[in-house]
Amino acid sequence: FNLNEEPAALRAKYGDSTLGPAALAARRLVEAGVRFVTVGLGGWDTHQKTFENHRTKLIPPLDQTLST
């Protein structure tokens, strides 16, 4: 699980949010033959400033990681 072995450019593409490294580790697990992997996002349950939190905090890391 030492993600420092991955090229810095690839780690940057996944992003430095909590999701990015988790998705990169999941990818490595799948490449190693693991058949089922779950990656958690933390939570989308926002009760205040919902649209602002989605737009500024939740969606950008998701978009960056999934597009990579």
Side-chain angles (χ1 to χ4, degrees), residues 44-50 53:
W44 287 72
D45 192 11
T46 56
H47 295 281
Q48 296 177 357
K49 300 181 181 179
T50 299
N53 285 328

Side-chain angles (χ1 to χ4, degrees), residues 29-30 33-37:
L29 286 168
V30 170
V34 175
R35 295 174 19 169
F36 185 84
V37 178

Side-chain angles (χ1 to χ4, degrees), residues 47-58:
H47 295 281
Q48 296 177 357
K49 300 181 181 179
T50 299
F51 296 109
E52 179 182 333
N53 285 328
H54 283 212
R55 182 176 48 83
T56 61
K57 296 178 183 174
L58 298 171

Side-chain angles (χ1 to χ4, degrees), residues 1-67:
F1 293 113
N2 186 358
L3 298 180
N4 290 326
E5 294 177 3
E6 294 287 347
L10 180 63
R11 290 193 319 262
K13 282 184 180 181
Y14 275 88
D16 60 358
S17 67
T18 9
L19 178 61
L24 182 54
R27 190 201 85 202
R28 289 180 69 186
L29 286 168
V30 170
E31 289 172 345
V34 175
R35 295 174 19 169
F36 185 84
V37 178
T38 301
V39 177
L41 292 173
W44 287 72
D45 192 11
T46 56
H47 295 281
Q48 296 177 357
K49 300 181 181 179
T50 299
F51 296 109
E52 179 182 333
N53 285 328
H54 283 212
R55 182 176 48 83
T56 61
K57 296 178 183 174
L58 298 171
I59 293 174
L62 180 67
D63 185 39
Q64 179 180 9
T65 301
L66 290 182
S67 66

